[in-house]
Amino acid sequence: MTELAARPGGALTKLRPGAKRAAREAEEDERRSLRFFPCPACGADLRFDPGTARMACSHCGSDTPVPHVDDAAAHVENCYHFYLDRDTGALPEEEAPSLNCNGCGASVEFHVDEHSRTCPFCDSAIVGDVRLQRRIVPQAVLPFSLMERQAHEAMRQWLRSRWFAPNDIADEARAEHFHGIYVPFWTYDAWTETDYTGMRGTRVGSGKNRRTVWRKVSGTVKGHFDDVIVSGSKSVSAEFKDALAPWPLRELETYQTEFLAGFRAENHTIGLKEGFARAQAHMRAVITDWIKRDIGGDRQRVLSSSTRFSKETFKHILVPVWITHYRFGGKTYRLSVNGRTAKAYGQRPFSLPKLIAGTAAMLLAMSLIGFLISAVPWN
């Protein structure tokens, strides 16, 4: 049977025998880029099944495995300066139908036929037309292992553990739906060498004669940073990076669109250079602790420091997050769940009676400690 291919304008042309395979591969690449994976049994859309290496059909129940690839590529460290010294298109990109939220700045995938366009991060309505936007192709992905019902349970457990939340919040909070979102991150490695000057304080004497003697010191501290993680999103970076950590990065798998089937993905809104600047801020804070340990003594002062960075590398990855907005007492609160570890974090109401009781208990404890200190002879 002769195979045909459509030319621009709708004309048809015969495919040469050698072009048949290329046409099929191009069609498959297009389906993969749009994350359309028809069920081999019934033709319905397949969805990645969290906790497995398979895609499942919700219509007929059949499933198919995610193709195995070399996962060593997920852990390859990319030379930072190699990509930084080239134009912005040095990193591979792809087009994705997306909308930008004016409320929180997130850029999230949406399809043209979706009628309800609500930002999964801030729950505000997104108005506008879905457009194809360029986005960085992730190097690796941490696939979902937590199902939606498990995210609901993690939410209830988190709410029950809040001391100052209303007693009935875990039973009364209503979360209509969890959104499964892949959130972009950068990870950075670097070697550092820091020259510093400072002051070492040593306590001498006793009683009223006790004082601190300061001595000027200088030195150099060296260290290595591995996988300093920085959010690639401007929407809720602190929440995802810190509150939902740790992320099991050793379990990263090479990026495949099959892992994203049935889920949304947020686009990078923080670039490679800006991400590294944020990673450096974290590194400098850690280096300050290294300097203080190197100074020694009873007290330390850092007067100056100069850090040299070398062998900088990076990875660009996606991590899984379940996000919901639940209602309690007529108000809406956001809650997020790590899609791998079930660690939860979010907003919650406070119980006024519990706050009053807690404040009273704290004041009573402080008064008791003050009384004991004043009653103890210090001679």
Side-chain angles (χ1 to χ4, degrees):
M1 181 178 68
T2 301
E3 294 194 28
L4 303 176
R7 283 181 174 177
L12 296 178
T13 182
K14 291 184 179 180
L15 288 176
R16 297 187 306 273
K20 294 179 181 179
R21 180 178 178 183
R24 293 193 192 98
E25 290 178 349
E27 182 181 358
E28 178 65 19
D29 288 342
E30 182 178 4
R31 287 201 303 268
R32 285 170 58 87
S33 66
L34 296 176
R35 296 208 297 277
F36 173 64
F37 301 98
C39 173
C42 69
D45 287 349
L46 294 174
R47 175 189 175 101
F48 176 69
D49 190 13
T52 73
R54 309 184 71 82
M55 292 186 294
C57 177
S58 59
H59 181 71
C60 69
S62 62
D63 61 12
T64 184
V66 174
H68 177 73
V69 297
D70 180 13
D71 287 328
H75 301 276
V76 170
E77 296 291 344
N78 306 288
C79 178
Y80 172 72
H81 290 288
F82 175 85
Y83 286 93
L84 190 66
D85 292 343
R86 283 155 176 76
D87 58 29
T88 54
L91 290 171
E93 295 183 336
E94 63 184 2
E95 288 186 331
S98 307
L99 282 172
N100 297 326
C101 176
N102 293 327
C104 66
S107 176
V108 186
E109 289 185 354
F110 281 89
H111 294 289
V112 177
D113 58 353
E114 290 184 85
H115 300 291
S116 178
R117 297 173 181 172
T118 302
C119 178
F121 294 98
C122 66
D123 203 36
S124 59
I126 303 179
V127 180
D129 295 328
V130 175
R131 296 181 300 172
L132 288 177
Q133 299 184 24
R134 302 296 296 177
R135 73 171 186 189
I136 298 171
V137 179
Q139 169 185 347
V141 60
L142 197 59
F144 275 90
S145 64
L146 208 69
M147 292 183 286
E148 184 175 356
R149 59 177 176 78
Q150 294 172 306
H152 272 278
E153 181 57 31
M155 168 186 166
R156 287 191 289 268
Q157 291 181 4
W158 185 83
L159 290 174
R160 291 190 189 102
S161 68
R162 302 304 97 187
W163 288 2
F164 293 108
N167 290 329
D168 58 346
I169 187 171
D171 298 323
E172 297 298 327
R174 293 290 178 263
E176 295 183 0
H177 178 66
F178 272 82
H179 299 277
I181 309 288
Y182 281 101
V183 181
F185 276 85
W186 301 101
T187 73
Y188 296 94
D189 292 10
W191 289 88
T192 63
E193 184 174 350
T194 304
D195 299 326
Y196 71 85
T197 62
M199 302 289 289
R200 178 189 299 127
T202 305
R203 293 191 179 94
V204 297
S206 61
K208 294 181 179 180
N209 296 322
R210 190 170 180 81
R211 58 193 176 90
T212 300
V213 177
W214 291 96
R215 177 186 174 188
K216 191 171 183 178
V217 296
S218 62
T220 301
V221 294
K222 301 179 181 180
H224 176 247
F225 290 90
D226 180 48
D227 282 340
V228 175
I229 190 166
V230 176
S231 174
S233 162
K234 295 181 179 178
S235 52
V236 281
S237 57
E239 176 180 336
F240 288 147
K241 185 176 75 70
D242 300 324
L244 296 184
W247 301 94
L249 299 183
R250 294 185 180 276
E251 300 171 13
L252 284 170
E253 301 195 39
T254 299
Y255 174 73
Q256 295 183 87
T257 52
E258 284 87 348
F259 289 124
L260 277 62
F263 296 91
R264 297 194 189 280
E266 185 185 10
N267 302 328
H268 279 79
T269 51
I270 294 176
L272 177 64
K273 185 176 182 180
E274 183 181 353
F276 187 57
R278 298 188 179 198
Q280 283 181 313
H282 168 81
M283 294 177 191
R284 293 183 193 279
V286 175
I287 290 170
T288 298
D289 293 334
W290 293 350
I291 292 173
K292 289 182 177 180
R293 286 201 297 268
D294 196 61
I295 289 175
D298 299 309
R299 297 180 62 187
Q300 304 85 29
R301 293 175 182 168
V302 180
L303 302 180
S304 67
S305 63
S306 177
T307 300
R308 296 175 293 281
F309 295 86
S310 63
K311 300 180 181 178
E312 302 99 318
T313 60
F314 74 93
K315 296 190 294 290
H316 43 108
I317 66 175
L318 295 177
V319 300
V321 179
W322 287 106
I323 303 175
T324 190
H325 292 80
Y326 68 92
R327 294 188 61 80
F328 182 83
K331 295 184 179 180
T332 302
Y333 303 89
R334 183 179 64 202
L335 186 136
S336 306
V337 178
N338 185 314
R340 293 288 289 199
T341 67
K343 185 176 181 181
Y345 176 80
Q347 303 166 330
R348 87 284 194 183
F350 290 90
S351 167
L352 183 58
K354 286 186 176 182
L355 287 175
I356 294 174
T359 302
M362 182 179 64
L363 293 175
L364 179 61
M366 292 175 62
S367 299
L368 180 59
I369 292 173
F371 171 76
L372 294 175
I373 291 176
S374 63
V376 174
W378 295 95
N379 295 330

